[in-house]
Amino acid sequence: MEKEKEFYKRLEKKGVSRRDFMKYCTFLTATMGLSSSFVPKVAEVFAAPTQRPPVIWLHFAECTGCSEALLRSMYPWVDQLLLEVISMEYHETIMAAAGHQAEENLHNAVKKYNGKFICVVEGAVATKYNGGYGKIGGKTFLDIAKDVCSKAAAVICMGTCSAYGGVQAAKPNPGGYKGVGDALGIKTLNIPGCPPNPINFVGTVVNYLLLGKLPDLDSLGRPLFAYGKTIHDQCPRRSHFENGEFVEEFGSEEAAIGYCLYKVGCKGPETYNNCPIVKFNEGTSWPVEAGHPCIGCSEPDFWDKMSPFYEEM
Amino acid sequence: MRAVEDAVGVKIPDTARIMRNLLHGAQFQHDHIVHFYHLHALDWVDIVSSLSADPKKTATLSENVSNAPWGGSTYYKNVQQRLQTFVDSGQLGPFNNAYWGHPAYKLPPEANLMASAHYIEALRLQAKAARMHAIFGAKNPHLQSLVVGGITSVKDLTPDRIAEFLYLTKETQDFVNNVYIPDLLAVASFYKEWGAIGGTTNFLAWGDLPLSDKEPESLYMPRGVIMKRNLGGVKMAKQEKVTEHVARAWYEKGSPKHPYKGETKPIRKDPKYRPDGGKYSWFKAPRYDGEPCEVGPLARVLVAYAKGHKDIKAVVDSTLKKLGIPVTALFSTLGRTAARGLETVAIGNAMQGWVMDLVKNVKDGNTKTYQPWKMPDKATGLGLNDVARGALGHWIEIENKKIKNYQYVVPSTWNLGPRCEKGKLGPVEEALIGTPIADPKRPIEVLRTVHSFDPCVACGVHIIDPDSNQVYKIKVL
């Protein structure tokens, strides 16, 4: 209780009322597909966590866009996430340690929390030439992944690269890049997207903290609460599709009205994600709202299968 | 995008140009804040030492040096308590096992506490600042509204969207002017010796942020090249002079080539790390007129300063005066880190005028954001940009309406590339030579210089202790 009170006091100092905070928890609870009776419990996870679960975040072949996406989390703010909700034991971009000390951190955390930590992976794993196309400190991504993932309580693939290979795996894929599940032959929880919406990562972690288990997944390892429906089925421009009202050229009158982007290449009908509902950067926008067709970035092999991006499917 | 636009011969409408500049400017504001506070500050700021600071004295210090909107002893007491609770939990997370307590840390505990508090404030500010990208670009990171011929977010040219953008850029710029720059100056004043460490020799900027359809004449950050630190001899940079070398990089054998003729043929085997005469990097080695060049904020600021750019000259001169250091101190790690902040002042301030240019166009009914174009059977094109990390060039050759060859030379390739065919060092390699290191097992000094380049890779660096000849592998992450 004390901790909870302190938390709300701190929030108010930052200009966030308890009411705003509960509003966010309701939003998050709904995003996760839980009933509203879970709202107080979700709030509890942020306000007074009994423990901070250890997270080990690995970087392989990637652009760090998924880490950047996590930094854009606004409720909880990323400093709350890092200081009060989870314990980020290893993360190459944000950790202060470097070199041998950094490697020591990874080694010690894996040992200390063996079987208990959440392993988050960002980036694809090189598999050709014994994994030679991707190394950190002389060790291949493949060896690091084998070692760390096998000791984790769960492996969460953050982004399309770690989930399915991403851009590195696009033809001709000289390094033999694969998603983590494929490379290691294990089951992973996948939060694809380029980058994914941080709310879907937070939702997954909260689900784990709250219910002690990971959320239900589809056949591609994606949480159903976020990836259960297509973009097309949730699109606010859907009625224009039904009415045959299409944008045929960017910047046109039809584009200014906000007609359907199907004819300029929108891949929404084949893409499963909740972008139209949760949107990005505190609900500011998402690609179709900005007049740009969906490129299917959360689907496996989207670079090869969804391109050309600007031609009708 | 610019390379393809050049190849197909399309000029983007004026409103699209302004919207792109606003998105690009927002990227500078956002990236540079994140770099300073979250990717570089802890090389200079000892967060653990802030636990022993006196919150009252910190409040006084903060009031003296900055115009931060938060402060007071209660504020600093709360921040300190929060950090203490975190430390007491025994789970140090991202702050575990760093070089805390290293003698190279020079700030008093109060300055460390002030900077640590701003580290946390900046984490929140950057998330807000990123919303600028979402307004006209759908999302951040990886905005998705830019297309060959213009920009797709024509529907977002509404008063509420534009106003939201304006207030976000203002709020971000308030942070830059009232917190970032005062913090930069406060920290720099304790580390003036770094004005003579970590410098390089040649500087290249393609320049960016066009204020009309005339390039390079109208670029707000100008194009130019400075060789051998000769500011007076600043010249127009010519893309024809760029070559890339692969002698020391993990690619098949080949002579130095201009990007139009460039090849990317990675060796088809497990690459071995052979820094002593062999191949040791995935980066090619770009050269300008055969010479390595540093790119990035320092290169841009030096080129602008040498050309007498009004806004840049004003911020550079006043900063040098405040710190009591000469112009030559810019050629250093300190100069690089300062330049990043100073160009954020200039660009962020200019952005507010660009928002008004957009308002004017909308008022005049000039909301054309896209120019249609046709893909030719055959064409070549290039696009020269300057992004947060530095000079970025793209070169494309089109044949049968498809990409025949595509090469890009990115900022970190310039800065972190290996030796060339002639054995000349890359800029980061050169910058590290002569760095004084107090404790080779805890080489925080190396981190300072490498991080000051804002590298986009977790890169491998090796140093040798001449006394023990012990090779220490240092990973800079």
Side-chain angles (χ1 to χ4, degrees):
Chain A
M1 263 328 270
E2 259 324 288
K3 264 191 165 176
E4 215 175 313
K5 267 190 203 148
E6 265 175 42
F7 174 82
Y8 288 118
K9 234 170 74 190
R10 261 201 330 268
L11 268 186
E12 269 158 32
K13 275 208 183 96
K14 296 287 176 194
V16 177
S17 72
R18 194 186 164 114
R19 195 163 157 267
D20 288 342
F21 176 68
M22 293 310 284
K23 220 167 91 188
Y24 169 73
C25 290
T26 309
F27 177 58
L28 185 63
T29 309
T31 303
M32 290 194 306
L34 297 173
S35 85
S36 58
S37 64
F38 278 94
V39 173
K41 287 205 162 255
V42 170
E44 201 183 297
V45 167
F46 294 115
T50 45
Q51 57 150 359
R52 286 191 289 130
V55 174
I56 292 176
W57 188 299
L58 300 175
H59 287 80
F60 297 138
E62 44 84 355
C63 71
T64 315
C66 299
S67 289
E68 288 280 346
L70 182 70
L71 288 186
R72 308 295 182 268
S73 177
M74 292 182 87
Y75 284 99
W77 289 96
V78 64
D79 59 291
Q80 293 168 334
L81 202 59
L82 294 177
L83 294 177
E84 279 113 23
V85 181
I86 59 173
S87 182
M88 190 69 89
E89 296 291 324
Y90 183 87
H91 186 294
E92 288 169 8
T93 317
I94 59 168
M95 70 186 179
H100 290 306
Q101 283 85 353
E103 273 167 13
E104 219 171 82
N105 281 359
L106 177 60
H107 179 79
N108 291 345
V110 169
K111 216 166 119 187
K112 184 173 167 194
Y113 298 111
N114 196 344
K116 294 189 185 114
F117 64 90
I118 299 175
C119 179
V120 181
V121 186
E122 179 176 355
V125 178
T127 60
K128 222 170 160 180
Y129 316 117
N130 296 320
Y133 270 29
K135 293 178 190 174
I136 300 169
K139 266 181 98 174
T140 63
F141 296 163
L142 192 59
D143 284 342
I144 297 170
K146 274 182 192 161
D147 180 36
V148 178
C149 294
S150 64
K151 294 173 181 136
V155 178
I156 299 178
C157 290
M158 178 78 171
T160 301
C161 298
S162 57
Y164 312 122
V167 65
Q168 298 77 206
K171 284 171 194 161
N173 192 2
Y177 286 94
K178 290 180 179 173
V180 176
D182 261 6
L184 302 186
I186 59 168
K187 278 223 177 315
T188 57
L189 184 148
N190 299 325
I191 306 180
C194 189
N197 197 316
I199 196 164
N200 292 333
F201 175 77
V202 173
T204 301
V205 172
V206 170
N207 195 106
Y208 180 76
L209 296 179
L210 191 63
L211 306 178
K213 61 172 191 179
L214 295 168
D216 293 336
L217 309 177
D218 70 2
S219 61
L220 291 168
R222 305 178 291 199
L224 284 167
F225 75 77
Y227 301 89
K229 292 179 190 158
T230 63
I231 298 274
H232 193 56
D233 282 349
Q234 305 166 89
C235 186
R237 299 189 179 191
R238 178 63 184 262
S239 61
H240 294 299
F241 176 83
E242 305 297 347
N243 295 341
E245 294 162 346
F246 297 103
V247 173
E248 310 218 10
E249 188 176 278
F250 297 123
S252 62
E253 217 171 287
E254 293 77 15
I257 301 170
Y259 278 179
C260 175
L261 296 164
Y262 182 77
K263 291 196 173 172
V264 282
C266 187
K267 306 298 184 286
E270 291 190 354
T271 304
Y272 289 80
N273 212 329
N274 58 357
C275 311
I277 306 299
V278 297
K279 306 206 260 185
F280 292 85
N281 305 91
E282 210 197 12
T284 305
S285 192
W286 66 291
V288 168
E289 187 171 342
H292 193 284
C294 165
I295 60 170
C297 74
S298 52
E299 292 298 316
D301 303 315
F302 82 97
W303 288 97
D304 293 327
K305 290 188 181 158
M306 298 294 188
S307 55
F309 293 137
Y310 299 106
E311 281 176 24
E312 187 178 328
M313 281 194 304
Chain B
M1 196 117 12
R2 281 172 167 176
V4 180
E5 281 164 359
D6 183 40
V8 305
V10 64
K11 288 241 182 226
I12 65 168
D14 192 54
T15 300
R17 173 192 65 78
I18 298 171
M19 290 169 84
R20 283 189 186 182
N21 279 354
L22 288 174
L23 292 172
H24 201 157
Q27 183 80 43
F28 278 89
Q29 286 185 303
H30 179 275
D31 262 34
H32 286 356
I33 291 170
V34 170
H35 181 266
F36 181 72
Y37 285 100
H38 308 121
L39 304 177
H40 197 25
L42 299 183
D43 299 337
W44 314 95
V45 173
D46 186 341
I47 209 165
V48 174
S49 140
S50 60
L51 295 177
S52 56
D54 176 347
K56 263 192 192 153
K57 283 190 195 159
T58 311
T60 313
L61 168 77
S62 168
E63 272 163 33
N64 283 340
V65 302
S66 87
N67 294 315
W70 350 265
S73 55
T74 314
Y75 169 81
Y76 283 110
K77 216 172 106 192
N78 283 337
V79 173
Q80 196 178 38
Q81 186 53 49
R82 192 174 179 207
L83 292 173
Q84 190 66 55
T85 307
F86 180 77
V87 170
D88 291 345
S89 76
Q91 290 178 298
L92 287 178
F95 305 118
N96 197 20
N97 209 12
Y99 300 141
W100 312 130
H102 193 290
Y105 280 119
K106 298 270 181 68
L107 300 184
E110 284 73 24
N112 283 318
L113 179 57
M114 179 180 80
S116 301
H118 295 170
Y119 173 102
I120 295 171
E121 298 293 350
L123 267 179
R124 297 190 173 199
L125 189 274
Q126 62 83 27
K128 274 196 198 176
R131 293 185 56 228
M132 283 187 273
H133 270 182
I135 290 172
F136 296 132
K139 62 194 173 84
N140 168 289
H142 295 191
L143 57 173
Q144 200 171 307
S145 65
L146 302 172
V147 287
V148 171
I151 187 164
T152 64
S153 46
V154 58
K155 199 169 165 287
D156 293 304
L157 283 176
T158 54
D160 59 322
R161 284 297 223 195
I162 297 172
E164 197 180 358
F165 190 100
L166 177 64
Y167 279 85
L168 282 168
T169 190
K170 276 188 172 181
E171 187 178 347
T172 308
Q173 198 60 10
D174 280 348
F175 182 92
V176 170
N177 290 326
N178 295 327
V179 187
Y180 177 8
I181 297 303
D183 280 352
L184 178 69
L185 290 171
V187 173
S189 66
F190 286 93
Y191 292 103
K192 285 188 197 169
E193 72 275 19
W194 283 85
I197 302 169
T200 67
T201 311
N202 310 313
F203 302 87
L204 170 71
W206 293 135
D208 213 319
L209 302 165
L211 300 181
S212 77
D213 63 355
K214 300 260 181 309
E215 292 187 38
E217 299 84 348
S218 80
L219 298 175
Y220 179 72
M221 291 305 284
R223 182 170 301 170
V225 61
I226 292 167
M227 305 306 275
K228 296 196 165 53
R229 298 191 178 188
N230 178 13
L231 291 179
V234 62
K235 286 202 176 72
M236 178 51 67
K238 301 221 178 286
Q239 64 86 22
E240 297 85 351
K241 297 197 174 195
V242 175
T243 51
E244 283 196 299
H245 297 225
V246 293
R248 308 296 299 275
W250 288 313
Y251 298 91
E252 285 173 19
K253 219 174 162 184
S255 56
K257 289 185 173 65
H258 181 270
Y260 268 143
K261 301 280 167 216
E263 294 172 343
T264 303
K265 295 179 176 169
I267 54 165
R268 290 171 189 277
K269 56 185 174 190
D270 183 0
K272 299 290 176 228
Y273 184 68
R274 299 276 181 263
D276 311 323
K279 292 177 183 282
Y280 64 101
S281 177
W282 280 115
F283 286 122
K284 295 176 183 176
R287 294 293 179 262
Y288 182 90
D289 222 358
E291 298 296 326
C293 286
E294 172 174 346
V295 300
L298 179 57
R300 279 192 295 263
V301 165
L302 287 173
V303 166
Y305 188 83
K307 290 192 160 189
H309 190 291
K310 204 175 108 239
D311 302 342
I312 291 290
K313 207 167 166 346
V315 285
V316 170
D317 284 337
S318 75
T319 303
L320 293 175
K321 204 174 149 200
K322 275 182 203 150
L323 288 173
I325 53 175
V327 177
T328 50
L330 289 172
F331 301 104
S332 69
T333 297
L334 186 70
R336 195 172 294 119
T337 296
R340 185 169 290 112
L342 299 179
E343 73 168 4
T344 317
V345 173
I347 294 170
N349 289 350
M351 277 173 73
Q352 300 184 20
W354 302 342
V355 177
M356 289 307 144
D357 293 343
L358 183 65
V359 170
K360 186 178 178 301
N361 278 9
V362 173
K363 241 185 187 168
D364 296 347
N366 181 8
T367 53
K368 188 174 172 186
T369 57
Y370 179 79
Q371 179 63 44
W373 51 275
K374 281 212 161 55
M375 182 65 79
D377 279 336
K378 237 179 127 136
T380 55
L382 59 94
L384 302 177
N385 317 270
D386 235 295
V387 295
R389 287 188 168 110
L392 166 67
H394 285 233
W395 288 261
I396 188 171
E397 188 181 354
I398 296 169
E399 206 176 87
N400 298 324
K401 299 183 189 290
K402 288 196 169 163
I403 300 170
K404 187 184 179 202
N405 193 13
Y406 199 98
Q407 296 284 321
Y408 43 94
V409 185
V410 307
S412 290
T413 314
W414 281 102
N415 288 335
L416 287 127
R419 292 174 183 83
C420 61
E421 200 173 73
K422 293 192 172 152
K424 289 181 183 174
L425 299 175
V428 171
E429 293 177 327
E430 181 196 352
L432 286 173
I433 288 175
T435 305
I437 291 172
D439 174 2
K441 287 188 180 158
R442 307 200 317 149
I444 189 171
E445 299 88 346
V446 170
L447 292 187
R448 286 177 178 169
T449 294
V450 176
H451 284 165
S452 73
F453 281 89
D454 189 8
C456 85
V457 288
C459 60
V461 183
H462 285 69
I463 56 165
I464 298 178
D465 179 347
D467 297 329
S468 63
N469 222 18
Q470 166 80 45
V471 179
Y472 294 100
K473 265 194 186 180
I474 303 165
K475 244 188 4 176
V476 181
L477 296 170

